Amino acid sequence: MYTLKEHDILTYLTGANDKELFGRANATQSQEFGNGIYLRAIIEFSNVCNKKCHYCGLRAPNKGITRYRMGNETILNAASLAVSQGAGTIVLQSGDDFSYSTQSIGTLIKEIKTQHDVAVTLSLGDRGVDEYAFWRECGADRCLLKLETTNPRLYKRLRDGEEFSSRLHRVESLRHLGYEVGSGVITDLPDSNLISTLQDILFLTALDLDMIAVGPFIPHPQTPLAQVAPGSIELSHRVTAILRILNPHANIPATSALSALEPESQRLALTRGCNVIMPSMTPEDHRADYTIYPGKNASNIDITDSLTHAKSMIRSLGLVPSSSKGFSPRRNNVQ
Ligand code: 5AD
Ligand code: SF4
């Protein structure tokens, strides 16, 4: 039923046929999205997290970072700036920081939706389904909740005892609430291999997602995985290219993990099936502290440079930065 057989996916994963794979992915991308690359601005409004994921620098036990929480006014100012620079979507992202009440996040969503003609994406982690239901009523359009790995045993180990089934259940509930739903994985996590990567690809495809985000693992020095080697950029590119062929309508970002490892690799991803870019619009005084992995946010740039840089990267490829809200075309509501 899929446009690629398992055997072909495995062959592509080995890198035996990159030219053909990337060519097919790029052709599918152009067919579905033309020349447009959607700009989504991420506002990382809190780096406080109560979880202990072994791969992430924001994990609660990491005492080596300065924690911050932005207030609603600061977040709204960052959103206005992002919109004035051409972002069609505002992504509100934080660690699993439950100190923001359901109501206060709801007010934030309503304010953004009233002030601007944009889509709002929530990337807030494992908040309750009832809270997500309320935020949907407040006007939020999409949610991003990554599975990180689709192997339940690996999930439990790397997310420090959490259950894969609850995460999956949450992803499915979000869809039932009427959100566009995004998920994804990290490639080259410890104990992954080509077969587990194939399984990730098939699992994500079976979920029929609106958005799929994939990026390579990057070791963070203050985590239990500090000594693990960084993931392969090529493998991450292959995985997104295969996912593009299997999921023609999904929005697939060229993730910032790529650019943290090698800036050029994020640009290249836009010619290998990725059609979205998500620059950080987190204000200067906090952006360097959002250290999920080293190199996540350059601290020495003015935040308006962040979108300007993304736009020039897109134009350098002969592609066009798009301020559209960028819903998945299968919804028939592209605007
Ligand atoms: N390397 C790569 N990606 C990571 N993420 C978290 N830690 C790492 C890491 N060390 C990703 C996860 C998370 C997103 C915000 O960043 O997929 O969902
Ligand atoms: Fe927290 Fe998310 Fe990092 Fe896990 S990956 S520690 S939930 S910010």
Side-chain angles (χ1 to χ4, degrees):
M1 96 198 197
Y2 293 139
T3 42
L4 286 174
K5 295 197 177 67
E6 284 187 23
H7 172 80
D8 300 325
I9 298 175
L10 261 183
T11 310
Y12 278 146
L13 283 176
T14 63
N17 223 341
D18 277 348
K19 205 162 169 242
E20 179 187 294
L21 169 63
F22 296 144
R24 281 180 76 176
N26 196 31
T28 309
Q29 177 189 338
S30 320
Q31 213 170 352
E32 293 295 328
F33 298 95
N35 282 336
I37 301 290
Y38 298 133
L39 296 169
R40 325 254 209 234
I42 303 204
I43 303 171
E44 295 136 333
F45 64 87
S46 161
N47 69 352
V48 177
C49 186
N50 63 29
K51 294 271 170 75
K52 298 178 188 165
C53 305
H54 291 195
Y55 43 81
C56 176
L58 302 189
R59 65 199 305 268
N62 183 9
K63 304 289 176 230
I65 58 169
T66 308
R67 302 284 173 172
Y68 69 86
R69 287 187 172 116
M70 286 163 51
N72 277 17
E73 202 184 319
T74 316
I75 302 171
L76 287 170
N77 287 340
S80 298
L81 189 58
V83 175
S84 72
Q85 297 285 312
T89 295
I90 300 295
V91 185
L92 297 174
Q93 188 174 81
S94 67
D96 277 31
D97 178 1
F98 287 25
S99 72
Y100 289 80
S101 69
T102 317
Q103 204 60 48
S104 102
I105 301 273
T107 306
L108 189 58
I109 296 164
K110 279 191 207 153
E111 289 282 339
I112 296 175
K113 294 291 289 191
T114 314
Q115 292 177 18
H116 311 287
D117 183 23
V118 289
V120 169
T121 300
L122 304 179
S123 178
L124 309 176
D126 291 328
R127 303 280 306 232
V129 173
D130 47 345
E131 298 188 284
Y132 278 110
F134 175 69
W135 297 329
R136 176 82 186 125
E137 281 168 26
C138 294
D141 302 276
R142 308 189 187 108
C143 286
L144 177 53
L145 197 64
K146 289 177 76 175
L147 294 170
E148 318 294 7
T149 166
T150 65
N151 177 318
R153 257 181 307 115
L154 194 56
Y155 183 95
K156 189 163 191 162
R157 180 150 60 84
L158 295 181
R159 291 188 54 95
D160 209 70
E162 306 257 329
E163 290 298 336
F164 177 75
S165 56
S166 340
R167 185 79 159 188
L168 181 59
H169 183 248
R170 201 173 256 100
V171 168
E172 282 163 348
S173 306
L174 293 174
R175 194 204 313 269
H176 293 135
L177 292 174
Y179 283 106
E180 276 207 344
V181 177
S183 192
V185 295
I186 303 174
T187 51
D188 280 322
L189 282 170
D191 291 334
S192 65
N193 53 45
L194 289 191
I195 299 292
S196 67
T197 308
L198 165 71
Q199 280 159 354
D200 285 343
I201 291 171
L202 295 175
F203 198 103
L204 291 173
T205 301
L207 279 178
D208 195 20
L209 295 158
D210 301 296
M211 193 274 235
I212 311 177
V214 173
F217 167 70
I218 303 174
H220 186 293
Q222 287 145 341
T223 63
L225 302 185
Q227 303 307 323
V228 176
S232 143
I233 288 171
E234 289 72 23
L235 181 68
S236 178
H237 278 177
R238 285 176 202 132
V239 171
T240 44
I242 294 165
L243 284 165
R244 162 59 65 218
I245 296 169
L246 293 171
N247 301 266
H249 303 313
N251 282 308
I252 302 184
T255 49
S256 32
L258 289 169
S259 80
L261 282 180
E262 163 58 55
E264 177 62 17
S265 70
Q266 189 181 31
R267 199 172 84 103
L268 209 52
L270 297 174
T271 67
R272 296 178 166 182
C274 298
N275 71 311
V276 174
I277 191 138
M278 301 169 79
S280 165
M281 289 297 283
T282 304
E284 284 91 350
D285 45 347
H286 295 311
R287 51 188 292 118
D289 294 318
Y290 204 76
T291 45
I292 299 177
Y293 42 76
K296 166 71 179 79
N297 287 341
S299 55
N300 57 346
I301 61 163
D302 187 87
I303 49 169
T304 54
D305 288 352
S306 176
L307 265 166
T308 307
H309 171 77
K311 285 186 273 191
S312 60
M313 185 197 308
I314 295 166
R315 290 200 185 100
S316 74
L317 295 162
L319 299 168
V320 181
S322 166
S323 300
S324 139
K325 291 180 191 133
F327 287 100
S328 169
R330 70 172 180 171
R331 302 265 163 151
N332 287 328
N333 57 356
V334 191
Q335 319 175 27

